Every structure is written in structure tokens, then in C-alpha cells.
């Protein structure tokens, strides 16, 4: 398993270099997964191949001519956590130039069908925490997408 994680990290480094050279337009989703019985709790993750020390949201890329942001969100959460989601709401859509590419990013909230999940190789850790993030250590690194999702979800 360790070998696959190293391979994923190396592959992502190569991809980042390609993005800087080509500056492609990409599409991505991030999902604020809410606990099925307590909407004041959400699922946070740490990825194995990028931003490994940051607590963030499950998600990934998609091709809009093949699927919607909502379909991509459901697919990504299931791929990363074996967790079905429903009741999706778009919280925000923005354009970012992070990692050298022009990325149209859709941040959604969704309700989890279960509190049980299984980590894929893409993740090193996941846990249910309160939406005020007080369950994480005070010095925990929090991704900007997680912060934006929580802020937008409070407004919604």
C-alpha cells in the first residue's frame, strides 16, 4: 500500500508540472459531507498525495461534458470514502489559478447516507468533527476550501 501512495504523490507532482507548462482549464468539486443524524458535524479528510498535512474536503476533478458537478461530487465521495451522499446543494462556484491551472471549482454540501466510511488509497485519514472544527487540534492546518464551505454553509 505504501508503494501506491508514493506513486500517487509522484504522479501528482508530474501533473502539477504539466499544469504549470500548459495552464489547462480544469473542473473540480469539493464536498462538505454532513453527518446523517447531526448536521453540526462534517467529515474532514487528509489526502495521501497532495496537501498531506491539511484537513480538507473530499473531492476531485471531472469533465462537465460527461457529468454534472453533483454527479462528480457523489462519485468522488464514493471513490474516496465508499460513502453514498444525497441532498446536494451548491455552496459556491469559483475560478482559481492554484497549482498553475485555471480551475473552475464547485463547492457543495451533501448529506451522508451513513456515518460509516472506508478510506481509499487517496486518503490517509478522515474523521467526523463539529462544524466549528473544535474537535481538531488548535494548530491543525485547515484548507481554504474547507473554511469556505463551512462559511457558505452557515449562510445558506
Amino acid at each position: 500500500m505504501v508503494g501506491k501512495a508514493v506513486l500517487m504523490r509522484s504522479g501528482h507532482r508530474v501533473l502539477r508540472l504539466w499544469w504549470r507548462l500548459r495552464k489547462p482549464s480544469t473542473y473540480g468539486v469539493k464536498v462538505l459531507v454532513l453527518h446523517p443524524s447531526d448536521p453540526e458535524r462534517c467529515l474532514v479528510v487528509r489526502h495521501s498525495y497532495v496537501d498531506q498535512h491539511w484537513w480538507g474536503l473530499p473531492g476531485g476533478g471531472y469533465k462537465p461534458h460527461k457529468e454534472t458537478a453533483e454527479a462528480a461530487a457523489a462519485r468522488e465521495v464514493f471513490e474516496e470514502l465508499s460513502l453514498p451522499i444525497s441532498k446536494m446543494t451548491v455552496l459556491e462556484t469559483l475560478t482559481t489559478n492554484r497549482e498553475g491551472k485555471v480551475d473552475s471549482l464547485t463547492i457543495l454540501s451533501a448529506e451522508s447516507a451513513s456515518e460509516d466510511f472506508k478510506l481509499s488509497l487517496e486518503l490517509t485519514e478522515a474523521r467526523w468533527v463539529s462544524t466549528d472544527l473544535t474537535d481538531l487540534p488548535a494548530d491543525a492546518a485547515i484548507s481554504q476550501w474547507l473554511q469556505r464551505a463551512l462559511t457558505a454553509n452557515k449562510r445558506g
Side-chain angles (χ1 to χ4, degrees), residues 77-121:
V77 171
F78 194 79
E79 284 176 4
E80 292 182 11
L81 296 152
S82 297
L83 192 60
I85 57 173
S86 63
K87 299 180 183 173
M88 286 176 262
T89 302
V90 173
L91 298 173
E92 182 177 10
T93 300
L94 59 119
T95 301
T96 176
N97 292 323
R98 190 169 187 245
E99 299 180 320
K101 59 183 175 169
V102 178
D103 192 27
S104 176
L105 180 65
T106 302
I107 302 173
L108 305 98
S109 68
E111 186 177 297
S112 172
S114 169
E115 65 181 44
D116 300 322
F117 56 84
K118 180 181 170 193
L119 297 181
S120 74
L121 290 176

Side-chain angles (χ1 to χ4, degrees), residues 37-153:
S37 62
D38 183 358
E40 296 300 315
R41 296 186 69 70
C42 65
L43 193 60
V44 296
V45 302
R46 288 189 320 133
H47 285 88
S48 62
Y49 59 94
V50 64
D51 298 333
Q52 298 167 40
H53 303 291
W54 293 80
W55 286 101
L57 298 169
Y62 75 101
K63 298 194 182 327
H65 63 278
K66 291 187 177 184
E67 64 185 342
T68 64
E70 291 83 356
R75 176 182 50 77
E76 285 290 340
V77 171
F78 194 79
E79 284 176 4
E80 292 182 11
L81 296 152
S82 297
L83 192 60
I85 57 173
S86 63
K87 299 180 183 173
M88 286 176 262
T89 302
V90 173
L91 298 173
E92 182 177 10
T93 300
L94 59 119
T95 301
T96 176
N97 292 323
R98 190 169 187 245
E99 299 180 320
K101 59 183 175 169
V102 178
D103 192 27
S104 176
L105 180 65
T106 302
I107 302 173
L108 305 98
S109 68
E111 186 177 297
S112 172
S114 169
E115 65 181 44
D116 300 322
F117 56 84
K118 180 181 170 193
L119 297 181
S120 74
L121 290 176
E122 291 184 53
L123 302 176
T124 57
E125 190 173 356
R127 64 171 81 161
W128 293 104
V129 298
S130 62
T131 54
D132 63 9
L133 303 179
T134 55
D135 301 347
L136 293 175
D139 62 347
I142 309 298
S143 81
Q144 65 175 314
W145 311 127
L146 173 55
Q147 292 171 341
R148 287 180 83 120
L150 290 169
T151 300
N153 194 57

Side-chain angles (χ1 to χ4, degrees), residues 10-26 63 99-102:
S10 298
H12 195 266
R13 286 185 190 116
V14 170
L15 196 55
R16 279 183 164 172
L17 177 60
W18 183 82
W19 289 335
R20 285 194 180 107
L21 295 173
R22 297 292 311 250
K23 302 199 183 323
S25 294
T26 60
K63 298 194 182 327
E99 299 180 320
K101 59 183 175 169
V102 178

